[in-house]
Amino acid sequence: MTTHTPDLSCVDLVKDFDSFRAVDHVSFEVPQGSFFSILGPSGCGKTTLLRMIAGFQSPTSGDLRIKGRSMIGVPPNKRPVSMVFQHLALFPTMNIGDNVGFGLRQRGVAKPEITRRVEDILARVGLPGVAQRRVDQLSGGQKQRVAIARCMVLEPDVLLLDEPLGALDLKLREHMKIELKALQAEFNTTFVYITHDQSEALVMSDNIAVMNHGRFEQVGPPQEVYHDPQTAFVAGFVGEANKIAATVAAVNGPNLTLRTEAGTELKATAPASGLQSGQRAQVFLRPEAIGLSMTPGDAGEDNVSQGTVTAVLFNGANSSVTVEDASGHALSVALPQTGGFADLRRGSTVYTRWHPDKARLYAAEG
């Protein structure tokens, strides 16, 4: 059977700063030609991890391999990686062609070859004929593509991207998500992308690693991470979620009965939760998993609750509706504009409902 060496692999990687552990025994592999995102909040260790891959910092222990070759002790300029920074770091005194060809000049490549390769890479990123322009003559999106071209002209095995969309406005950021994914597919180069923005990771990635306190809590495709979060942190960090505190009242195989602090009974189907009767639990529900109606529906239906609308926020294709029940607990509901709720107002009486298998259950922290 043929096996393929991953472009990047980290084995039990640790990084300590005195008594603080920034990266805590992280292991993962990134296959050739894939888009791998490391997603997590500020301070979780993701940038430290990226800097170790680039060679700007040395691991305390563990191994880091590119194309099967250990990079421990290999300086940054000798590694087959390039890096796009958040603020791009283009040279304002150089024209676009000189910016893109800078790394080739540092490697001693002949001038005619530099010219040819620069023109070729600019065409591949959709910027033909701009080599003589100044940096300040380009838009934000064009500058992003120049920064990528400057890296890709060096033909790296792995391209590292450290929150490169963070400085862009919202509309351009949405556009660049599509462009980045298209560029990655065009070059078939392995991208390792650092972000705290879940929407960036979900849209662009083949696989996402969700990082928290120096560790990977879950690694998997975007759909799996979103729909089947393995920990309470992942459920709360990736996507929007309602969180309900409850206690397990009964367990019947995969079917659980829970009671909230206000005494409301909930039904949930959670085959692998491991929760036991009497245990405190956290129940997570996606806003789009909750239905809304003006009538109570069938008698005996699970997880139906009467409430009062306290807010209706128009978001374009959807509205975000906040419903508060008699106990004062609020649920956020994602409501399509085509759902027939045009007259829904603050103060309206409604009924929320959700199927038991839509909940994700975890043991309560502490």
Side-chain angles (χ1 to χ4, degrees), residues 3 5 38 41 50 83 96 98 127 155 161 185 192 201 224 226 236 258 272 278 286 295-296 307 314 353:
T3 59
T5 302
I38 302 172
L50 196 75
M83 190 164 178
I96 301 307
D98 288 341
L127 293 173
E155 300 177 341
L161 301 102
V192 178
E224 179 183 297
Y226 184 83
L258 305 103
R286 298 292 187 198
T295 59
F314 176 71
R353 51 176 38 81

Side-chain angles (χ1 to χ4, degrees), residues 60-342:
T60 303
S61 62
D63 197 9
L64 190 156
R65 304 168 190 157
I66 297 177
K67 294 285 191 183
R69 177 191 168 205
S70 177
M71 292 290 110
I72 303 302
V74 178
N77 64 325
K78 299 296 184 182
R79 297 190 181 197
V81 302
S82 290
M83 190 164 178
V84 178
F85 298 93
Q86 180 174 350
H87 297 292
L88 305 183
L90 298 177
F91 302 114
T93 57
M94 296 183 185
N95 64 25
I96 301 307
D98 288 341
N99 262 281
V100 174
F102 179 79
L104 296 175
R105 290 195 301 277
Q106 295 296 106
R107 292 183 177 183
V109 177
K111 188 173 182 180
E113 177 68 7
I114 292 175
T115 301
R116 184 191 68 78
R117 288 170 65 174
V118 166
E119 290 176 350
D120 177 67
I121 205 74
L122 285 172
R124 291 184 69 183
V125 300
L127 293 173
V130 303
Q132 299 306 314
R133 291 192 195 176
R134 301 192 311 270
V135 171
D136 60 8
Q137 291 179 310
L138 301 184
S139 68
Q142 289 173 322
K143 290 175 184 176
Q144 288 283 345
R145 282 184 276 168
V146 169
I148 292 171
R150 184 173 62 180
C151 292
M152 296 308 299
V153 78
L154 300 174
E155 300 177 341
D157 290 328
V158 179
L159 180 63
L160 309 174
L161 301 102
D162 188 7
E163 306 216 37
L165 307 186
L168 303 181
D169 62 62
L170 178 61
K171 190 169 184 178
L172 183 54
R173 196 157 63 240
E174 293 299 312
H175 176 69
M176 285 305 299
K177 290 178 194 176
I178 301 169
E179 288 225 351
L180 270 178
K181 182 61 177 174
L183 286 170
Q184 188 268 332
E186 156 72 17
F187 288 104
N188 195 34
T189 299
T190 298
F191 279 25
V192 178
Y193 189 93
I194 296 292
T195 184
H196 66 274
D197 187 322
Q198 54 175 295
S199 67
E200 291 179 10
L202 290 171
V203 167
M204 294 188 291
S205 309
D206 297 311
N207 283 287
I208 299 172
V210 183
M211 195 171 189
N212 185 33
H213 296 306
R215 288 181 174 268
F216 283 0
E217 299 234 348
Q218 185 172 352
V219 181
Q223 297 87 345
E224 179 183 297
V225 171
Y226 184 83
H227 291 295
D228 191 21
Q230 299 299 299
T231 68
F233 174 80
V234 176
F237 188 77
V238 180
E240 300 298 321
N242 294 286
K243 181 178 175 182
I244 305 170
T247 300
V248 179
V251 179
N252 181 15
N255 303 310
L256 284 78
T257 302
L258 305 103
R259 284 194 175 84
T260 68
E261 295 171 351
T264 304
E265 184 178 280
L266 306 177
K267 299 285 188 178
T269 303
S273 71
L275 293 168
Q276 304 296 320
S277 182
Q279 192 171 357
R280 292 191 303 122
Q282 301 174 87
V283 182
F284 285 83
L285 277 170
R286 298 292 187 198
E288 66 270 22
I290 303 172
L292 200 66
S293 68
M294 309 302 289
T295 59
D298 299 331
E301 186 179 356
D302 292 329
N303 304 322
V304 178
S305 178
Q306 180 178 317
T308 303
V309 174
T310 59
V312 181
L313 302 177
F314 176 71
N315 292 334
N318 299 296
S319 286
S320 177
V321 180
T322 304
V323 180
E324 190 174 291
D325 64 19
S327 67
H329 186 271
L331 285 178
S332 177
V333 182
L335 194 66
Q337 301 300 342
T338 57
F341 292 93

Side-chain angles (χ1 to χ4, degrees), residues 19-71:
S19 61
F20 174 70
R21 178 153 291 179
V23 176
D24 190 3
H25 296 282
V26 167
S27 298
F28 65 98
E29 292 185 347
V30 184
Q32 195 277 327
S34 62
F35 199 122
F36 185 86
S37 289
I38 302 172
L39 171 67
S42 297
C44 73
K46 57 187 185 295
T47 296
T48 299
L49 178 56
L50 196 75
R51 290 177 63 81
M52 285 194 287
I53 297 170
F56 301 137
Q57 290 177 336
S58 299
T60 303
S61 62
D63 197 9
L64 190 156
R65 304 168 190 157
I66 297 177
K67 294 285 191 183
R69 177 191 168 205
S70 177
M71 292 290 110

